[in-house]
C-alpha cells in the first residue's frame, strides 16, 4: 500500500511560503498586528515561528494602525523592500484604502515608471461563522476595480503556498486574500519549490456541459455540486481563477468555448461583484455560442447578518449553484 | 468618597455587569450560546460610574467589548441577551449581534467592531447636540490600543476645535489583544495624547468608584456648560482575555495576580459595608440582578430566530426584492 501523501493546513502553507520568501530574499519583511511570536504569532497563528527564525527586525508587530502599516509597506517597497503587510481581517483594509488605492496602486504609473511598489497585503475574511457585519466581508471587487493592483485568492493549501510566494516576489502590489473558515482545512502538501504563477487559472475538474468559474471558497462548493450532478450525468468543468485581477481570460474563454455554458460563483455579494465582469467578458467574446446567458451566484444584497438563521439565508450556497446550473441547462 | 446613594447606584449597575459576564461565559462554555464574546470582568466599575453620571437621553458610542457599557447605560437585559443570541426579539432583530448593539431608547447609538471608528461618530452626535442646544452629552468608549489609530487623533482634534460635548472614555486595560500598551504606544499615558491635542485630559483609577465617578461628573458638567470635551483615561484591567478562549498567556503572572487582588467588585462591595449599608441590602441588590439575568437568559434561549429572508429588510429604507 502506497503511503498517503503529506497534508498541510492552509494557514501552514501561507506560513511556509513566507518563510521561504524570507529565506530566499533578505528584502522580504513582515508587518502586522500581533504577528511576532511574543504577541502570539498572529491571531490565526499564520506567522507563528517567523520572528523566532528571522528576528523581530524583519517580522514586526505593529500598533493598531492599518493606515501606518500599509503606508510603511508602500514606503519601504519604493526603495527596494518586499514588504508583506498583514491586515488582520479584510474589513480593516477599509481604514488603509487611501494608501492602497491612491498610493500603492498608482505610484508606478504616476511616476512614469521611475518607482514601483512590490508589496503584498495578506488579509483574511469569510462569512458563515457569526462574526456579523464588520468582520467577514469579501471586498475583492473593490480592489479588483483599481488599476495597478493584483488580487489573488487561493482555494487550497498547495496553491496558497505557490501563489503567496509569487505574490511576494511580484514587482506589483498584490492583495492576497485568505479565507478564515478554511484556514485549518488540510490539502496535499506542495513540494518546497512549488510556485504558482500569478494570472494563471487552473482547471481542477474537467467537464463538458457547463463551466463553473470561481475562486477561493467557491471552488470547494463548486466541486461538491459538480460531484453531485455527475451522478445525474451532468458534466461540470471547474475553473479556479487563483488570480482574480487580472484574471486569466484565455483559460476561462477556452473552457466556455468548449462547454458553451457558464456560472460564475463567489462568496462576495452578487451585485456589482467580480462575477459581473467575468460574465460580461464571456458574453463579449462568446455570446453567439452560448446555450444560455452566463449565470452568477453570490451572496445577498445586505451586510453580513449576525444571526445564524439569516446569515445562512443570505450566504451563497451549494443549493444556489445547483439551481443556477439547472436553470441554464434547462 | 461619593455619597451613599451614588455608590449604591454604581454598585447595582456594576453587579449586574459582573453577574451577566459570568453567566455569558458559563453559557458559552456550556455550548448554550455559540458566539464570539469579549469579556468585561474587571472593567465593571469604569462603566457603572461613568453611566451613573449621565442621563438616559445622553448618547453612548462603544465597542465590541461593550456589554458593561450597554448594561450600565440601561439597555434592558432581555433585549440585550436576545440580541447576543441572534434572536428577532433582540435590540437589532439579530442582525447586528454582540459587536453591534444599538438601542436609541437608552441612548446607545453605535457599537462598532472597528477599532477607533466610534470616535469620529461621537463627534457627530456631539455636533448635533451643540446645534440643537439640547444639553445632551455623548460618552465615547474605546480602549488604549485605539489611541494608536488615525481616527483617534483626527477625532479628538476636531472635538476640541469645535468644543463638542463629548466625553472620550479610554478604558485603559493595558492590553490590545496580545500587545502590552508600552510595546505599541509611544507615550507613557493616553492622557498625554489628549494634553498634546489641547484637550482637558485626566487620568484616574477607573476601578475606584468614587474617583471614577468624580471624574465622570466633572467631565459631564464641563461639557454641558459648553466648555467642550474631556479625555478620561480610566485605568482598569480585563480578567478573561481579549475574547473568550484567550488564556491571557501574554500577561505576566504577577501582573494578573495583582490585578485580581485589586478586583474592583469586592472592593466596592466592602465600601458599601463600610458605609453601614447592610449585608442584607446588598444581598437583595445582588439577588434582584441575578433574577433579572436568569429571566433574560431564558428569554433569549426561548425566543425565535428571525426568518431567513429578514436579511432583505433594513438594508435600505425599502425592502430589497428577493
Ligand atoms: C481597525 C481595526 N484593526 C484591528 C482590529 C482587531 N482588533 C479588535 S480589538 C483589538 C484590540 C483593541 O485594543 P484596545 O483598543 O486596547 O481595546 P480592548 O480590546 O483592550 O478593550 C484589535 C487589534 C479591529 N477590530 N479594527
Ligand atoms: Mg486595551
Amino acid at each position: 500500500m502506497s503511503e498517503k501523501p503529506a497534508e498541510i493546513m492552509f494557514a501552514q502553507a501561507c506560513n511556509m511560503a513566507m518563510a521561504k520568501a524570507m529565506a530566499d530574499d533578505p528584502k522580504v519583511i513582515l508587518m502586522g498586528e500581533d504577528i511576532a511570536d511574543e504577541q502570539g504569532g498572529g491571531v490565526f497563528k499564520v506567522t507563528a515561528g517567523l520572528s523566532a527564525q528571522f528576528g523581530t527586525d524583519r517580522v514586526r508587530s505593529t500598533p493598531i494602525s492599518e493606515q501606518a502599516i500599509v503606508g510603511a509597506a508602500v514606503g519601504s517597497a519604493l526603495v527596494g523592500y518586499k514588504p508583506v503587510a498583514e491586515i488582520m481581517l479584510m474589513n480593516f483594509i477599509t481604514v488603509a484604502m487611501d494608501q492602497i488605492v491612491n498610493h500603492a496602486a498608482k505610484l508606478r504609473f504616476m511616476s512614469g515608471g521611475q518607482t514601483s511598489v512590490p508589496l503584498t497585503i495578506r488579509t483574511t475574511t469569510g462569512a458563515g461563522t457569526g462574526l456579523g457585519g464588520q468582520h467577514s466581508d469579501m471586498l475583492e471587487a473593490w480592489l479588483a476595480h483599481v488599476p495597478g493592483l493584483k488580487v489573488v485568492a487561493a482555494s487550497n493549501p498547495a496553491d496558497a503556498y505557490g501563489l503567496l510566494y509569487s505574490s511576494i516576489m511580484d514587482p506589483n502590489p498584490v492583495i492576497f486574500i485568505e479565507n478564515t473558515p478554511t484556514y485549518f482545512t488540510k490539502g496535499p502538501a506542495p513540494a518546497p519549490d512549488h510556485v504558482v504563477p500569478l494570472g494563471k487559472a487552473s482547471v481542477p475538474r474537467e467537464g463538458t456541459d457547463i463551466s463553473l468559474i470561481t475562486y477561493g471558497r467557491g471552488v470547494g462548493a463548486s466541486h461538491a455540486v459538480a460531484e453531485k450532478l455527475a451522478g445525474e450525468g451532468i458534466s461540470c468543468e471547474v475553473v479556479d481563477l487563483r488570480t482574480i485581477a487580472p484574471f486569466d481570460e484565455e483559460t476561462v474563454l477556452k473552457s466556455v468555448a468548449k462547454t458553451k455554458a457558464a456560472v460564475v460563483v463567489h462568496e462576495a455579494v452578487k451585485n456589482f461583484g467580480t462575477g459581473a465582469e467575468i460574465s460580461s467578458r464571456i458574453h463579449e467574446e462568446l455570446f453567439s455560442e452560448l446555450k444560455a446567458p452566463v449565470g452568477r451566484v453570490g451572496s445577498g444584497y445586505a451586510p453580513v447578518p449576525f444571526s445564524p438563521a439569516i446569515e445562512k439565508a443570505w450566504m451563497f450556497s451549494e443549493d444556489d449553484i445547483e439551481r443556477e446550473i439547472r436553470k441554464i441547462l434547462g | 468618597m461619593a455619597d451613599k446613594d451614588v455608590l449604591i447606584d454604581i454598585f447595582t449597575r456594576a453587579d449586574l455587569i459582573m453577574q451577566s459576564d459570568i453567566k455569558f461565559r458559563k453559557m458559552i462554555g456550556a455550548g448554550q450560546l455559540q458566539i464570539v464574546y469579549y469579556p468585561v470582568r474587571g472593567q465593571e466599575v469604569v462603566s457603572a460610574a461613568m453611566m451613573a453620571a449621565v442621563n438616559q437621553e445622553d448618547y453612548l458610542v462603544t465597542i465590541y467589548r461593550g456589554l458593561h457599557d450597554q448594561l450600565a447605560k440601561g439597555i434592558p437585559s432581555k433585549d440585550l441577551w436576545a440580541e447576543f443570541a441572534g434572536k428577532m426579539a433582540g435590540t437589532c432583530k439579530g442582525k447586528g449581534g454582540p459587536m453591534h448593539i444599538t438601542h436609541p431608547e437608552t441612548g446607545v447609538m453605535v457599537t462598532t467592531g472597528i477599532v477607533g471608528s466610534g470616535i469620529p461618530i461621537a463627534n457627530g452626535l456631539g455636533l448635533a447636540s451643540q446645534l440643537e442646544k439640547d444639553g445632551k452629552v455623548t460618552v465615547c468608549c474605546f480602549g488604549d490600543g485605539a489611541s494608536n489609530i488615525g481616527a483617534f487623533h483626527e477625532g479628538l482634534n476636531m472635538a476640541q476645535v469645535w468644543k463638542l460635548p463629548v466625553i472620550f472614555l479610554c478604558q485603559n486595560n493595558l492590553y490590545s489583544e496580545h500587545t502590552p500598551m508600552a510595546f505599541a504606544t509611544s507615550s507613557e499615558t493616553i492622557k498625554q495624547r489628549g494634553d498634546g491635542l489641547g484637550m482637558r485630559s485626566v487620568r484616574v483609577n477607573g476601578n475606584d468608584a468614587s474617583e471614577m465617578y468624580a471624574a465622570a461628573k466633572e467631565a459631564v458638567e464641563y461639557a454641558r456648560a459648553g466648555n467642550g470635551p474631556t479625555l478620561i483615561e480610566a485605568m482598569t484591567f480585563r480578567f478573561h482575555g481579549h475574547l473568550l478562549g484567550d488564556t491571557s498567556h501574554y500577561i505576566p503572572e504577577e501582573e494578573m495576580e495583582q490585578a485580581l487582588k485589586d478586583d474592583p467588585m469586592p472592593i466596592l462591595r466592602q465600601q458599601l459595608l463600610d458605609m453601614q449599608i447592610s449585608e442584607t441590602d446588598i444581598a437583595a441588590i445582588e439577588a434582584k440582578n441575578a433574577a433579572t439575568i436568569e429571566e433574560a437568559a431564558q428569554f433569549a434561549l426561548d425566543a425565535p430566530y428571525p426568518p431567513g429572508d429578514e436579511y432583505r429588510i433594513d438594508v435600505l429604507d425599502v425592502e430589497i426584492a428577493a
Side-chain angles (χ1 to χ4, degrees), chain A residues 16-27:
Chain A
M16 286 161 54
M18 285 185 277
K20 179 170 184 343
M22 293 193 84
D24 288 355
D25 189 338
K27 294 290 190 185

Side-chain angles (χ1 to χ4, degrees), chain A residues 33-34 64-66 88-89 92 95 135, chain B residues 38 43 63-65 113-117 142-147 149 171 173-177 238 242:
Chain A
E33 292 160 19
D34 286 346
I64 310 175
S65 309
E66 283 76 12
M88 192 184 289
L89 291 180
F92 313 154
V95 177
H135 283 68
Chain B
Y38 299 86
Q43 300 188 198
I63 60 172
Y64 49 89
R65 188 186 319 287
I114 308 297
V115 169
S117 296
F142 51 89
D144 45 293
S147 76
I149 210 155
Q171 303 187 13
N173 56 21
L174 299 168
Y175 285 85
S176 46
E177 294 203 341
R238 54 164 161 79
H242 174 62

Side-chain angles (χ1 to χ4, degrees), chain A residues 23 68 71 92 103 112 141 151 160 169-170 206 209 262 307 316 320:
Chain A
F92 313 154
H103 299 90
V151 183
M169 295 306 169
D170 197 86
E206 292 192 15
D209 295 330
S307 185
F316 94 115
D320 294 341

